[in-house]
Amino acid sequence: QVQLVESGGGLVQAGGSLRLSCAASGIIFSLERMGWYRQAPGKQRELVADITSGGSTNYAYSVKGRFTISRDNAKNTIYLQMNMLKPEDTAVYYCNLFYVKRPWGQGTQVTVSS
């Protein structure tokens, strides 16, 4: 049974930083391309960043240069370092596999105040 558990969200002022974590179980983590996604109120869920099994990364244009995705295969965990946060980054953040989605976790709320 696949389980994805996100943590690390919170309330931060614009310009601040947060680091999100996602612990995965029930998959062969090291072989999976993983992604961070977010859903703002009234909007569709969108891909923010992804990381391949080999460590290559890709970012949405809106977060490029501010967010960094990384992974620790020994801990079955991916991270999202978010710097220079903006109010428009406010959303619930989720992790999931990139290609074949598994049941979504509860996500972690990120709120950026102006």
Side-chain angles (χ1 to χ4, degrees):
Q1 180 178 350
V2 177
Q3 191 171 16
L4 302 165
V5 180
E6 302 92 348
S7 62
L11 173 63
V12 64
Q13 289 188 332
S17 298
L18 284 172
R19 189 192 193 208
L20 308 183
S21 299
C22 167
S25 60
I27 59 174
I28 305 176
F29 180 82
S30 62
L31 299 181
E32 294 289 349
R33 184 173 179 177
M34 298 293 296
W36 279 102
Y37 303 79
R38 68 185 180 187
Q39 187 167 22
K43 295 188 176 181
Q44 288 191 333
R45 192 170 291 164
E46 63 175 350
L47 177 65
V48 174
D50 71 86
I51 184 165
T52 69
S53 57
S56 298
T57 58
N58 300 283
Y59 298 93
Y61 179 80
S62 60
V63 307
K64 196 171 293 186
R66 300 188 297 122
F67 290 10
T68 302
I69 187 172
S70 61
R71 66 191 298 156
D72 184 339
N73 289 338
K75 295 182 178 180
N76 284 10
T77 299
I78 61 169
Y79 303 96
L80 188 67
Q81 177 67 43
M82 306 187 295
N83 299 327
M84 296 181 287
L85 282 161
K86 304 176 180 180
E88 50 264 43
D89 295 318
T90 295
V92 179
Y93 285 70
Y94 304 86
C95 66
N96 212 317
L97 282 64
F98 182 83
Y99 291 115
V100 180
K101 299 298 183 291
R102 301 307 180 96
W104 296 92
Q106 83 286 351
T108 186
Q109 175 71 50
V110 172
T111 303
V112 185
S113 63
S114 57

